PDB file of all heavy atoms in Angstrom:
ATOM      1  N   VAL A  27      76.233  54.162  60.673  1.00  0.00           N
ATOM      2  CA  VAL A  27      76.238  55.563  60.466  1.00  0.00           C
ATOM      3  C   VAL A  27      77.666  56.075  60.820  1.00  0.00           C
ATOM      4  O   VAL A  27      78.139  55.820  61.977  1.00  0.00           O
ATOM      5  CB  VAL A  27      75.264  56.215  61.557  1.00  0.00           C
ATOM      6  CG1 VAL A  27      75.213  57.808  61.400  1.00  0.00           C
ATOM      7  CG2 VAL A  27      73.866  55.669  61.382  1.00  0.00           C
ATOM      8  N   ALA A  28      78.220  56.773  59.919  1.00  0.00           N
ATOM      9  CA  ALA A  28      79.624  57.381  60.159  1.00  0.00           C
ATOM     10  C   ALA A  28      79.480  58.844  60.495  1.00  0.00           C
ATOM     11  O   ALA A  28      78.796  59.562  59.696  1.00  0.00           O
ATOM     12  CB  ALA A  28      80.476  57.254  58.834  1.00  0.00           C
ATOM     13  N   VAL A  29      79.842  59.235  61.654  1.00  0.00           N
ATOM     14  CA  VAL A  29      79.720  60.613  62.094  1.00  0.00           C
ATOM     15  C   VAL A  29      81.148  61.187  61.808  1.00  0.00           C
ATOM     16  O   VAL A  29      82.158  60.877  62.352  1.00  0.00           O
ATOM     17  CB  VAL A  29      79.431  60.697  63.616  1.00  0.00           C
ATOM     18  CG1 VAL A  29      79.428  62.165  64.010  1.00  0.00           C
ATOM     19  CG2 VAL A  29      78.097  60.057  63.887  1.00  0.00           C
ATOM     20  N   PHE A  30      81.134  62.170  60.857  1.00  0.00           N
ATOM     21  CA  PHE A  30      82.372  62.889  60.429  1.00  0.00           C
ATOM     22  C   PHE A  30      82.440  64.163  61.295  1.00  0.00           C
ATOM     23  O   PHE A  30      81.535  64.936  61.374  1.00  0.00           O
ATOM     24  CB  PHE A  30      82.262  63.272  58.988  1.00  0.00           C
ATOM     25  CG  PHE A  30      82.460  62.207  58.002  1.00  0.00           C
ATOM     26  CD1 PHE A  30      81.445  61.230  57.765  1.00  0.00           C
ATOM     27  CD2 PHE A  30      83.638  62.061  57.323  1.00  0.00           C
ATOM     28  CE1 PHE A  30      81.606  60.155  56.933  1.00  0.00           C
ATOM     29  CE2 PHE A  30      83.812  60.994  56.445  1.00  0.00           C
ATOM     30  CZ  PHE A  30      82.858  59.994  56.188  1.00  0.00           C
ATOM     31  N   PHE A  31      83.713  64.422  61.752  1.00  0.00           N
ATOM     32  CA  PHE A  31      83.908  65.667  62.567  1.00  0.00           C
ATOM     33  C   PHE A  31      85.361  66.092  62.505  1.00  0.00           C
ATOM     34  O   PHE A  31      86.221  65.397  62.083  1.00  0.00           O
ATOM     35  CB  PHE A  31      83.334  65.536  64.022  1.00  0.00           C
ATOM     36  CG  PHE A  31      84.040  64.407  64.757  1.00  0.00           C
ATOM     37  CD1 PHE A  31      85.042  64.725  65.597  1.00  0.00           C
ATOM     38  CD2 PHE A  31      83.623  63.103  64.510  1.00  0.00           C
ATOM     39  CE1 PHE A  31      85.655  63.605  66.314  1.00  0.00           C
ATOM     40  CE2 PHE A  31      84.276  62.019  65.271  1.00  0.00           C
ATOM     41  CZ  PHE A  31      85.281  62.377  66.142  1.00  0.00           C
ATOM     42  N   GLY A  32      85.583  67.350  63.068  1.00  0.00           N
ATOM     43  CA  GLY A  32      86.936  67.907  63.080  1.00  0.00           C
ATOM     44  C   GLY A  32      87.141  68.725  61.729  1.00  0.00           C
ATOM     45  O   GLY A  32      86.303  69.491  61.392  1.00  0.00           O
ATOM     46  N   GLY A  33      88.288  68.546  61.132  1.00  0.00           N
ATOM     47  CA  GLY A  33      88.577  69.223  59.941  1.00  0.00           C
ATOM     48  C   GLY A  33      89.429  70.380  60.050  1.00  0.00           C
ATOM     49  O   GLY A  33      89.812  70.878  61.166  1.00  0.00           O
ATOM     50  N   GLN A  34      89.864  70.961  58.923  1.00  0.00           N
ATOM     51  CA  GLN A  34      90.814  72.114  58.842  1.00  0.00           C
ATOM     52  C   GLN A  34      90.016  73.360  59.043  1.00  0.00           C
ATOM     53  O   GLN A  34      89.852  74.246  58.105  1.00  0.00           O
ATOM     54  CB  GLN A  34      91.477  72.080  57.491  1.00  0.00           C
ATOM     55  CG  GLN A  34      92.372  70.931  57.237  1.00  0.00           C
ATOM     56  CD  GLN A  34      92.849  70.840  55.816  1.00  0.00           C
ATOM     57  OE1 GLN A  34      92.177  70.641  54.881  1.00  0.00           O
ATOM     58  NE2 GLN A  34      94.201  71.018  55.696  1.00  0.00           N
ATOM     59  N   SER A  35      89.499  73.551  60.275  1.00  0.00           N
ATOM     60  CA  SER A  35      88.630  74.701  60.564  1.00  0.00           C
ATOM     61  C   SER A  35      89.021  75.225  61.932  1.00  0.00           C
ATOM     62  O   SER A  35      89.438  74.567  62.799  1.00  0.00           O
ATOM     63  CB  SER A  35      87.139  74.217  60.557  1.00  0.00           C
ATOM     64  OG  SER A  35      86.411  75.082  61.266  1.00  0.00           O
ATOM     65  N   VAL A  36      88.816  76.511  62.039  1.00  0.00           N
ATOM     66  CA  VAL A  36      89.089  77.160  63.405  1.00  0.00           C
ATOM     67  C   VAL A  36      88.057  76.657  64.387  1.00  0.00           C
ATOM     68  O   VAL A  36      88.310  76.801  65.570  1.00  0.00           O
ATOM     69  CB  VAL A  36      88.995  78.774  63.351  1.00  0.00           C
ATOM     70  CG1 VAL A  36      90.127  79.274  62.597  1.00  0.00           C
ATOM     71  CG2 VAL A  36      87.685  79.210  62.687  1.00  0.00           C
ATOM     72  N   GLU A  37      86.934  76.102  63.944  1.00  0.00           N
ATOM     73  CA  GLU A  37      85.967  75.554  64.938  1.00  0.00           C
ATOM     74  C   GLU A  37      86.110  74.044  65.053  1.00  0.00           C
ATOM     75  O   GLU A  37      85.239  73.327  65.492  1.00  0.00           O
ATOM     76  CB  GLU A  37      84.548  75.891  64.473  1.00  0.00           C
ATOM     77  CG  GLU A  37      84.280  77.422  64.416  1.00  0.00           C
ATOM     78  CD  GLU A  37      83.026  77.759  63.767  1.00  0.00           C
ATOM     79  OE1 GLU A  37      83.096  77.960  62.472  1.00  0.00           O
ATOM     80  OE2 GLU A  37      82.052  77.926  64.413  1.00  0.00           O
ATOM     81  N   HIS A  38      87.369  73.561  64.820  1.00  0.00           N
ATOM     82  CA  HIS A  38      87.718  72.179  65.006  1.00  0.00           C
ATOM     83  C   HIS A  38      87.260  71.533  66.356  1.00  0.00           C
ATOM     84  O   HIS A  38      86.543  70.536  66.391  1.00  0.00           O
ATOM     85  CB  HIS A  38      89.284  72.014  64.741  1.00  0.00           C
ATOM     86  CG  HIS A  38      89.783  70.627  64.829  1.00  0.00           C
ATOM     87  ND1 HIS A  38      90.053  69.878  63.775  1.00  0.00           N
ATOM     88  CD2 HIS A  38      90.058  69.803  65.901  1.00  0.00           C
ATOM     89  CE1 HIS A  38      90.502  68.625  64.194  1.00  0.00           C
ATOM     90  NE2 HIS A  38      90.529  68.660  65.424  1.00  0.00           N
ATOM     91  N   GLU A  39      87.661  72.211  67.415  1.00  0.00           N
ATOM     92  CA  GLU A  39      87.416  71.739  68.760  1.00  0.00           C
ATOM     93  C   GLU A  39      85.931  71.739  69.095  1.00  0.00           C
ATOM     94  O   GLU A  39      85.445  70.833  69.738  1.00  0.00           O
ATOM     95  CB  GLU A  39      88.201  72.563  69.801  1.00  0.00           C
ATOM     96  CG  GLU A  39      89.697  72.286  69.875  1.00  0.00           C
ATOM     97  CD  GLU A  39      90.516  72.949  68.769  1.00  0.00           C
ATOM     98  OE1 GLU A  39      90.028  73.827  68.107  1.00  0.00           O
ATOM     99  OE2 GLU A  39      91.716  72.588  68.633  1.00  0.00           O
ATOM    100  N   VAL A  40      85.280  72.773  68.515  1.00  0.00           N
ATOM    101  CA  VAL A  40      83.849  72.760  68.884  1.00  0.00           C
ATOM    102  C   VAL A  40      83.098  71.668  68.201  1.00  0.00           C
ATOM    103  O   VAL A  40      82.220  71.062  68.761  1.00  0.00           O
ATOM    104  CB  VAL A  40      83.232  74.118  68.343  1.00  0.00           C
ATOM    105  CG1 VAL A  40      81.807  74.289  68.752  1.00  0.00           C
ATOM    106  CG2 VAL A  40      84.063  75.341  68.861  1.00  0.00           C
ATOM    107  N   SER A  41      83.647  71.296  67.037  1.00  0.00           N
ATOM    108  CA  SER A  41      83.051  70.216  66.296  1.00  0.00           C
ATOM    109  C   SER A  41      83.338  68.905  66.999  1.00  0.00           C
ATOM    110  O   SER A  41      82.398  68.030  67.040  1.00  0.00           O
ATOM    111  CB  SER A  41      83.683  70.099  64.859  1.00  0.00           C
ATOM    112  OG  SER A  41      83.633  68.817  64.320  1.00  0.00           O
ATOM    113  N   VAL A  42      84.432  68.768  67.661  1.00  0.00           N
ATOM    114  CA  VAL A  42      84.696  67.505  68.450  1.00  0.00           C
ATOM    115  C   VAL A  42      83.677  67.413  69.539  1.00  0.00           C
ATOM    116  O   VAL A  42      83.093  66.298  69.784  1.00  0.00           O
ATOM    117  CB  VAL A  42      86.185  67.534  69.052  1.00  0.00           C
ATOM    118  CG1 VAL A  42      86.373  66.460  70.101  1.00  0.00           C
ATOM    119  CG2 VAL A  42      87.195  67.476  67.912  1.00  0.00           C
ATOM    120  N   ILE A  43      83.377  68.477  70.187  1.00  0.00           N
ATOM    121  CA  ILE A  43      82.379  68.471  71.223  1.00  0.00           C
ATOM    122  C   ILE A  43      80.924  68.106  70.717  1.00  0.00           C
ATOM    123  O   ILE A  43      80.338  67.200  71.166  1.00  0.00           O
ATOM    124  CB  ILE A  43      82.306  69.842  72.034  1.00  0.00           C
ATOM    125  CG1 ILE A  43      83.668  70.075  72.739  1.00  0.00           C
ATOM    126  CG2 ILE A  43      81.167  69.794  73.071  1.00  0.00           C
ATOM    127  CD1 ILE A  43      83.740  71.504  73.324  1.00  0.00           C
ATOM    128  N   SER A  44      80.547  68.857  69.702  1.00  0.00           N
ATOM    129  CA  SER A  44      79.234  68.585  69.042  1.00  0.00           C
ATOM    130  C   SER A  44      79.130  67.134  68.581  1.00  0.00           C
ATOM    131  O   SER A  44      78.122  66.513  68.847  1.00  0.00           O
ATOM    132  CB  SER A  44      79.034  69.430  67.876  1.00  0.00           C
ATOM    133  OG  SER A  44      78.930  70.870  68.195  1.00  0.00           O
ATOM    134  N   ALA A  45      80.143  66.537  67.978  1.00  0.00           N
ATOM    135  CA  ALA A  45      80.128  65.257  67.448  1.00  0.00           C
ATOM    136  C   ALA A  45      79.993  64.227  68.523  1.00  0.00           C
ATOM    137  O   ALA A  45      79.318  63.249  68.402  1.00  0.00           O
ATOM    138  CB  ALA A  45      81.268  65.003  66.548  1.00  0.00           C
ATOM    139  N   ASN A  46      80.733  64.378  69.610  1.00  0.00           N
ATOM    140  CA  ASN A  46      80.647  63.495  70.736  1.00  0.00           C
ATOM    141  C   ASN A  46      79.292  63.441  71.377  1.00  0.00           C
ATOM    142  O   ASN A  46      78.788  62.443  71.661  1.00  0.00           O
ATOM    143  CB  ASN A  46      81.763  63.816  71.834  1.00  0.00           C
ATOM    144  CG  ASN A  46      83.007  62.963  71.528  1.00  0.00           C
ATOM    145  OD1 ASN A  46      83.168  61.922  72.026  1.00  0.00           O
ATOM    146  ND2 ASN A  46      83.873  63.455  70.705  1.00  0.00           N
ATOM    147  N   GLN A  47      78.733  64.695  71.481  1.00  0.00           N
ATOM    148  CA  GLN A  47      77.313  64.742  71.991  1.00  0.00           C
ATOM    149  C   GLN A  47      76.431  63.958  71.091  1.00  0.00           C
ATOM    150  O   GLN A  47      75.656  63.115  71.549  1.00  0.00           O
ATOM    151  CB  GLN A  47      76.899  66.161  72.095  1.00  0.00           C
ATOM    152  CG  GLN A  47      77.631  67.044  73.095  1.00  0.00           C
ATOM    153  CD  GLN A  47      77.396  68.445  73.041  1.00  0.00           C
ATOM    154  OE1 GLN A  47      77.057  69.028  71.945  1.00  0.00           O
ATOM    155  NE2 GLN A  47      77.390  69.167  74.197  1.00  0.00           N
ATOM    156  N   ALA A  48      76.588  64.131  69.659  1.00  0.00           N
ATOM    157  CA  ALA A  48      75.695  63.521  68.755  1.00  0.00           C
ATOM    158  C   ALA A  48      75.893  62.016  68.750  1.00  0.00           C
ATOM    159  O   ALA A  48      74.904  61.280  68.688  1.00  0.00           O
ATOM    160  CB  ALA A  48      75.954  64.113  67.385  1.00  0.00           C
ATOM    161  N   MET A  49      77.189  61.536  68.854  1.00  0.00           N
ATOM    162  CA  MET A  49      77.396  60.088  68.782  1.00  0.00           C
ATOM    163  C   MET A  49      76.790  59.414  69.932  1.00  0.00           C
ATOM    164  O   MET A  49      76.239  58.331  69.846  1.00  0.00           O
ATOM    165  CB  MET A  49      78.909  59.799  68.658  1.00  0.00           C
ATOM    166  CG  MET A  49      79.538  60.239  67.385  1.00  0.00           C
ATOM    167  SD  MET A  49      81.194  59.714  67.094  1.00  0.00           S
ATOM    168  CE  MET A  49      82.083  60.566  68.368  1.00  0.00           C
ATOM    169  N   HIS A  50      76.867  60.058  71.134  1.00  0.00           N
ATOM    170  CA  HIS A  50      76.274  59.430  72.336  1.00  0.00           C
ATOM    171  C   HIS A  50      74.757  59.447  72.237  1.00  0.00           C
ATOM    172  O   HIS A  50      74.064  58.609  72.834  1.00  0.00           O
ATOM    173  CB  HIS A  50      76.783  60.092  73.525  1.00  0.00           C
ATOM    174  CG  HIS A  50      78.268  59.772  73.773  1.00  0.00           C
ATOM    175  ND1 HIS A  50      78.627  58.534  74.083  1.00  0.00           N
ATOM    176  CD2 HIS A  50      79.379  60.520  73.732  1.00  0.00           C
ATOM    177  CE1 HIS A  50      80.007  58.454  74.257  1.00  0.00           C
ATOM    178  NE2 HIS A  50      80.436  59.581  73.985  1.00  0.00           N
TER     179      HIS A  50
END
Side-chain angles (χ1 to χ4, degrees):
V27 180
V29 176
F30 285 75
F31 59 100
Q34 297 172 290
S35 156
V36 288
E37 292 169 278
H38 180 100
E39 283 79 11
V40 188
S41 156
V42 169
I43 297 172
S44 294
N46 266 270
Q47 292 171 328
M49 289 191 294
H50 290 294

